[in-house]
PDB file of all heavy atoms in Angstrom:
ATOM      1  N   ALA A   8      78.932  74.884  34.602  1.00 50.00           N
ATOM      2  CA  ALA A   8      79.308  73.603  34.025  1.00 50.00           C
ATOM      3  C   ALA A   8      79.385  73.739  32.509  1.00 50.00           C
ATOM      4  O   ALA A   8      78.604  74.451  31.898  1.00 50.00           O
ATOM      5  CB  ALA A   8      78.282  72.539  34.397  1.00 50.00           C
ATOM      6  N   PHE A  11      80.142  69.419  25.979  1.00 42.00           N
ATOM      7  CA  PHE A  11      80.447  69.518  24.561  1.00 42.00           C
ATOM      8  C   PHE A  11      79.415  68.762  23.752  1.00 42.00           C
ATOM      9  O   PHE A  11      78.958  67.708  24.134  1.00 42.00           O
ATOM     10  CB  PHE A  11      81.844  68.965  24.273  1.00 42.00           C
ATOM     11  CG  PHE A  11      82.932  69.805  24.847  1.00 42.00           C
ATOM     12  CD1 PHE A  11      83.428  69.542  26.112  1.00 42.00           C
ATOM     13  CD2 PHE A  11      83.430  70.873  24.145  1.00 42.00           C
ATOM     14  CE1 PHE A  11      84.423  70.327  26.654  1.00 42.00           C
ATOM     15  CE2 PHE A  11      84.428  71.664  24.678  1.00 42.00           C
ATOM     16  CZ  PHE A  11      84.924  71.396  25.945  1.00 42.00           C
ATOM     17  N   ASP A  13      78.605  67.539  19.683  1.00 44.00           N
ATOM     18  CA  ASP A  13      79.135  67.445  18.330  1.00 44.00           C
ATOM     19  C   ASP A  13      78.330  68.333  17.399  1.00 44.00           C
ATOM     20  O   ASP A  13      77.119  68.379  17.446  1.00 44.00           O
ATOM     21  CB  ASP A  13      79.072  66.004  17.813  1.00 44.00           C
ATOM     22  CG  ASP A  13      80.101  65.128  18.501  1.00 44.00           C
ATOM     23  OD1 ASP A  13      81.191  65.640  18.786  1.00 44.00           O
ATOM     24  OD2 ASP A  13      79.797  63.949  18.751  1.00 44.00           O
ATOM     25  N   ARG A  25      73.335  78.572  35.571  1.00 57.00           N
ATOM     26  CA  ARG A  25      73.284  78.157  36.972  1.00 57.00           C
ATOM     27  C   ARG A  25      71.862  77.790  37.361  1.00 57.00           C
ATOM     28  O   ARG A  25      70.901  78.295  36.786  1.00 57.00           O
ATOM     29  CB  ARG A  25      73.753  79.297  37.878  1.00 57.00           C
ATOM     30  CG  ARG A  25      75.193  79.671  37.684  1.00 57.00           C
ATOM     31  CD  ARG A  25      75.629  80.801  38.599  1.00 57.00           C
ATOM     32  NE  ARG A  25      74.728  81.936  38.488  1.00 57.00           N
ATOM     33  CZ  ARG A  25      74.225  82.581  39.540  1.00 57.00           C
ATOM     34  NH1 ARG A  25      74.526  82.237  40.752  1.00 57.00           N
ATOM     35  NH2 ARG A  25      73.401  83.602  39.372  1.00 57.00           N
ATOM     36  N   ARG A  33      60.760  85.640  37.383  1.00 69.00           N
ATOM     37  CA  ARG A  33      60.897  86.986  36.848  1.00 69.00           C
ATOM     38  C   ARG A  33      59.716  87.821  37.314  1.00 69.00           C
ATOM     39  O   ARG A  33      58.594  87.337  37.395  1.00 69.00           O
ATOM     40  CB  ARG A  33      60.929  86.953  35.331  1.00 69.00           C
ATOM     41  CG  ARG A  33      62.140  86.275  34.794  1.00 69.00           C
ATOM     42  CD  ARG A  33      62.141  86.308  33.295  1.00 69.00           C
ATOM     43  NE  ARG A  33      63.311  85.616  32.805  1.00 69.00           N
ATOM     44  CZ  ARG A  33      63.487  85.296  31.554  1.00 69.00           C
ATOM     45  NH1 ARG A  33      62.563  85.586  30.655  1.00 69.00           N
ATOM     46  NH2 ARG A  33      64.572  84.681  31.175  1.00 69.00           N
ATOM     47  N   ASP A  35      56.950  90.450  36.733  1.00 81.00           N
ATOM     48  CA  ASP A  35      56.163  91.021  35.640  1.00 81.00           C
ATOM     49  C   ASP A  35      55.718  92.406  36.095  1.00 81.00           C
ATOM     50  O   ASP A  35      54.736  92.550  36.828  1.00 81.00           O
ATOM     51  CB  ASP A  35      54.969  90.120  35.343  1.00 81.00           C
ATOM     52  CG  ASP A  35      54.186  90.552  34.123  1.00 81.00           C
ATOM     53  OD1 ASP A  35      54.417  91.679  33.630  1.00 81.00           O
ATOM     54  OD2 ASP A  35      53.343  89.764  33.661  1.00 81.00           O
ATOM     55  N   LYS A  44      45.751  98.637  40.402  1.00 92.00           N
ATOM     56  CA  LYS A  44      44.608  99.391  39.885  1.00 92.00           C
ATOM     57  C   LYS A  44      43.308  98.599  39.892  1.00 92.00           C
ATOM     58  O   LYS A  44      42.250  99.153  39.635  1.00 92.00           O
ATOM     59  CB  LYS A  44      44.900  99.847  38.454  1.00 92.00           C
ATOM     60  CG  LYS A  44      46.098 100.761  38.355  1.00 92.00           C
ATOM     61  CD  LYS A  44      46.431 101.067  36.927  1.00 92.00           C
ATOM     62  CE  LYS A  44      47.690 101.916  36.854  1.00 92.00           C
ATOM     63  NZ  LYS A  44      48.124 102.139  35.485  1.00 92.00           N
ATOM     64  N   ALA A  51      40.037  88.311  42.356  1.00 95.00           N
ATOM     65  CA  ALA A  51      39.571  86.965  42.699  1.00 95.00           C
ATOM     66  C   ALA A  51      38.652  86.415  41.609  1.00 95.00           C
ATOM     67  O   ALA A  51      38.737  85.232  41.246  1.00 95.00           O
ATOM     68  CB  ALA A  51      38.856  86.989  44.047  1.00 95.00           C
ATOM     69  N   SER A  55      39.350  83.137  39.259  1.00 94.00           N
ATOM     70  CA  SER A  55      38.360  82.067  39.138  1.00 94.00           C
ATOM     71  C   SER A  55      37.987  81.829  37.677  1.00 94.00           C
ATOM     72  O   SER A  55      37.895  80.680  37.227  1.00 94.00           O
ATOM     73  CB  SER A  55      37.116  82.434  39.950  1.00 94.00           C
ATOM     74  OG  SER A  55      36.103  81.491  39.751  1.00 94.00           O
ATOM     75  N   PHE A  64      39.426  73.921  28.849  1.00 94.00           N
ATOM     76  CA  PHE A  64      40.415  73.494  27.861  1.00 94.00           C
ATOM     77  C   PHE A  64      40.903  72.083  28.162  1.00 94.00           C
ATOM     78  O   PHE A  64      40.977  71.232  27.266  1.00 94.00           O
ATOM     79  CB  PHE A  64      41.599  74.471  27.843  1.00 94.00           C
ATOM     80  CG  PHE A  64      42.757  73.967  27.037  1.00 94.00           C
ATOM     81  CD1 PHE A  64      42.746  74.067  25.659  1.00 94.00           C
ATOM     82  CD2 PHE A  64      43.852  73.385  27.651  1.00 94.00           C
ATOM     83  CE1 PHE A  64      43.811  73.595  24.900  1.00 94.00           C
ATOM     84  CE2 PHE A  64      44.918  72.908  26.910  1.00 94.00           C
ATOM     85  CZ  PHE A  64      44.897  73.008  25.530  1.00 94.00           C
ATOM     86  N   ASN A  66      39.403  69.772  29.882  1.00 93.00           N
ATOM     87  CA  ASN A  66      38.304  68.830  29.674  1.00 93.00           C
ATOM     88  C   ASN A  66      38.203  68.451  28.205  1.00 93.00           C
ATOM     89  O   ASN A  66      38.040  67.278  27.857  1.00 93.00           O
ATOM     90  CB  ASN A  66      36.986  69.416  30.175  1.00 93.00           C
ATOM     91  CG  ASN A  66      35.863  68.411  30.179  1.00 93.00           C
ATOM     92  OD1 ASN A  66      36.080  67.199  30.116  1.00 93.00           O
ATOM     93  ND2 ASN A  66      34.645  68.903  30.244  1.00 93.00           N
ATOM     94  N   PHE A  69      41.227  66.186  27.468  1.00 88.00           N
ATOM     95  CA  PHE A  69      41.060  64.836  28.017  1.00 88.00           C
ATOM     96  C   PHE A  69      39.981  64.058  27.280  1.00 88.00           C
ATOM     97  O   PHE A  69      40.102  62.853  27.091  1.00 88.00           O
ATOM     98  CB  PHE A  69      40.733  64.890  29.506  1.00 88.00           C
ATOM     99  CG  PHE A  69      41.861  65.352  30.382  1.00 88.00           C
ATOM    100  CD1 PHE A  69      41.606  66.019  31.556  1.00 88.00           C
ATOM    101  CD2 PHE A  69      43.178  65.121  30.038  1.00 88.00           C
ATOM    102  CE1 PHE A  69      42.633  66.446  32.369  1.00 88.00           C
ATOM    103  CE2 PHE A  69      44.215  65.548  30.844  1.00 88.00           C
ATOM    104  CZ  PHE A  69      43.945  66.216  32.017  1.00 88.00           C
ATOM    105  N   VAL A  76      39.529  55.271  23.122  1.00 71.00           N
ATOM    106  CA  VAL A  76      39.948  54.155  23.964  1.00 71.00           C
ATOM    107  C   VAL A  76      38.824  53.122  24.042  1.00 71.00           C
ATOM    108  O   VAL A  76      37.689  53.447  24.372  1.00 71.00           O
ATOM    109  CB  VAL A  76      40.339  54.638  25.376  1.00 71.00           C
ATOM    110  CG1 VAL A  76      40.713  53.481  26.271  1.00 71.00           C
ATOM    111  CG2 VAL A  76      41.473  55.630  25.296  1.00 71.00           C
ATOM    112  N   LYS A  77      39.151  51.909  23.726  1.00 71.00           N
ATOM    113  CA  LYS A  77      38.184  50.799  23.815  1.00 71.00           C
ATOM    114  C   LYS A  77      38.783  49.731  24.730  1.00 71.00           C
ATOM    115  O   LYS A  77      39.968  49.714  24.993  1.00 71.00           O
ATOM    116  CB  LYS A  77      37.935  50.190  22.427  1.00 71.00           C
ATOM    117  CG  LYS A  77      37.514  51.190  21.372  1.00 71.00           C
ATOM    118  CD  LYS A  77      36.128  51.712  21.605  1.00 71.00           C
ATOM    119  CE  LYS A  77      35.732  52.648  20.478  1.00 71.00           C
ATOM    120  NZ  LYS A  77      35.015  53.790  20.904  1.00 71.00           N
ATOM    121  N   GLY A  83      36.051  51.303  28.997  1.00 66.00           N
ATOM    122  CA  GLY A  83      35.516  50.285  28.098  1.00 66.00           C
ATOM    123  C   GLY A  83      34.507  50.847  27.114  1.00 66.00           C
ATOM    124  O   GLY A  83      34.265  52.046  27.054  1.00 66.00           O
ATOM    125  N   ASP A  84      33.903  49.963  26.363  1.00 68.00           N
ATOM    126  CA  ASP A  84      32.998  50.392  25.299  1.00 68.00           C
ATOM    127  C   ASP A  84      31.587  49.884  25.570  1.00 68.00           C
ATOM    128  O   ASP A  84      30.990  49.198  24.759  1.00 68.00           O
ATOM    129  CB  ASP A  84      33.525  49.874  23.953  1.00 68.00           C
ATOM    130  CG  ASP A  84      32.843  50.556  22.782  1.00 68.00           C
ATOM    131  OD1 ASP A  84      32.291  51.647  22.981  1.00 68.00           O
ATOM    132  OD2 ASP A  84      32.871  49.994  21.678  1.00 68.00           O
ATOM    133  N   THR A  88      29.349  53.812  29.698  1.00 75.00           N
ATOM    134  CA  THR A  88      30.719  54.285  29.878  1.00 75.00           C
ATOM    135  C   THR A  88      30.912  55.697  29.361  1.00 75.00           C
ATOM    136  O   THR A  88      31.674  56.467  29.929  1.00 75.00           O
ATOM    137  CB  THR A  88      31.713  53.331  29.178  1.00 75.00           C
ATOM    138  OG1 THR A  88      31.466  52.016  29.641  1.00 75.00           O
ATOM    139  CG2 THR A  88      33.129  53.702  29.478  1.00 75.00           C
ATOM    140  N   TRP A  91      29.889  58.140  32.040  1.00 80.00           N
ATOM    141  CA  TRP A  91      30.835  58.052  33.149  1.00 80.00           C
ATOM    142  C   TRP A  91      32.164  58.679  32.753  1.00 80.00           C
ATOM    143  O   TRP A  91      32.778  59.411  33.534  1.00 80.00           O
ATOM    144  CB  TRP A  91      31.035  56.580  33.548  1.00 80.00           C
ATOM    145  CG  TRP A  91      31.919  56.432  34.725  1.00 80.00           C
ATOM    146  CD1 TRP A  91      31.562  56.476  36.031  1.00 80.00           C
ATOM    147  CD2 TRP A  91      33.332  56.222  34.706  1.00 80.00           C
ATOM    148  NE1 TRP A  91      32.658  56.303  36.829  1.00 80.00           N
ATOM    149  CE2 TRP A  91      33.760  56.144  36.027  1.00 80.00           C
ATOM    150  CE3 TRP A  91      34.273  56.084  33.692  1.00 80.00           C
ATOM    151  CZ2 TRP A  91      35.081  55.946  36.388  1.00 80.00           C
ATOM    152  CZ3 TRP A  91      35.595  55.885  34.041  1.00 80.00           C
ATOM    153  CH2 TRP A  91      35.983  55.816  35.371  1.00 80.00           C
ATOM    154  N   LYS A 101      39.034  69.710  36.298  1.00 91.00           N
ATOM    155  CA  LYS A 101      38.876  70.675  37.387  1.00 91.00           C
ATOM    156  C   LYS A 101      40.003  70.540  38.405  1.00 91.00           C
ATOM    157  O   LYS A 101      40.555  71.539  38.874  1.00 91.00           O
ATOM    158  CB  LYS A 101      37.528  70.486  38.080  1.00 91.00           C
ATOM    159  CG  LYS A 101      36.365  70.988  37.268  1.00 91.00           C
ATOM    160  CD  LYS A 101      35.048  70.758  37.995  1.00 91.00           C
ATOM    161  CE  LYS A 101      33.871  71.244  37.169  1.00 91.00           C
ATOM    162  NZ  LYS A 101      32.591  70.995  37.846  1.00 91.00           N
ATOM    163  N   ALA A 106      45.060  72.589  40.733  1.00 90.00           N
ATOM    164  CA  ALA A 106      46.411  72.266  41.200  1.00 90.00           C
ATOM    165  C   ALA A 106      47.487  73.050  40.458  1.00 90.00           C
ATOM    166  O   ALA A 106      48.660  72.900  40.756  1.00 90.00           O
ATOM    167  CB  ALA A 106      46.664  70.769  41.052  1.00 90.00           C
ATOM    168  N   GLN A 123      41.449  94.946  32.501  1.00 92.00           N
ATOM    169  CA  GLN A 123      40.678  95.689  33.494  1.00 92.00           C
ATOM    170  C   GLN A 123      41.418  96.944  33.943  1.00 92.00           C
ATOM    171  O   GLN A 123      40.806  97.992  34.136  1.00 92.00           O
ATOM    172  CB  GLN A 123      40.354  94.801  34.692  1.00 92.00           C
ATOM    173  CG  GLN A 123      39.344  93.728  34.363  1.00 92.00           C
ATOM    174  CD  GLN A 123      39.050  92.829  35.542  1.00 92.00           C
ATOM    175  OE1 GLN A 123      39.345  93.150  36.681  1.00 92.00           O
ATOM    176  NE2 GLN A 123      38.468  91.676  35.262  1.00 92.00           N
ATOM    177  N   SER A 127      40.193 100.809  33.422  1.00 74.00           N
ATOM    178  CA  SER A 127      40.072 101.777  34.517  1.00 74.00           C
ATOM    179  C   SER A 127      40.894 103.033  34.209  1.00 74.00           C
ATOM    180  O   SER A 127      40.491 104.126  34.565  1.00 74.00           O
ATOM    181  CB  SER A 127      40.509 101.168  35.849  1.00 74.00           C
ATOM    182  OG  SER A 127      41.897 100.904  35.845  1.00 74.00           O
ATOM    183  N   ASN A 128      42.037 102.862  33.505  1.00 71.00           N
ATOM    184  CA  ASN A 128      42.830 104.035  33.090  1.00 71.00           C
ATOM    185  C   ASN A 128      42.076 104.845  32.052  1.00 71.00           C
ATOM    186  O   ASN A 128      42.090 106.065  32.091  1.00 71.00           O
ATOM    187  CB  ASN A 128      44.175 103.600  32.519  1.00 71.00           C
ATOM    188  CG  ASN A 128      45.162 103.226  33.583  1.00 71.00           C
ATOM    189  OD1 ASN A 128      44.959 103.535  34.754  1.00 71.00           O
ATOM    190  ND2 ASN A 128      46.234 102.576  33.194  1.00 71.00           N
ATOM    191  N   GLY A 130      38.914 105.087  31.649  1.00 58.00           N
ATOM    192  CA  GLY A 130      37.801 105.782  32.297  1.00 58.00           C
ATOM    193  C   GLY A 130      38.281 106.981  33.084  1.00 58.00           C
ATOM    194  O   GLY A 130      37.662 108.039  33.073  1.00 58.00           O
TER     195      GLY A 130
END
Side-chain angles (χ1 to χ4, degrees):
F11 292 92
D13 288 324
R25 295 180 308 133
R33 294 182 181 169
D35 187 348
K44 299 174 183 175
S55 174
F64 170 80
N66 189 17
F69 291 150
V76 177
K77 306 290 183 220
D84 194 21
T88 307
W91 184 86
K101 286 179 181 179
Q123 290 179 17
S127 67
N128 282 345

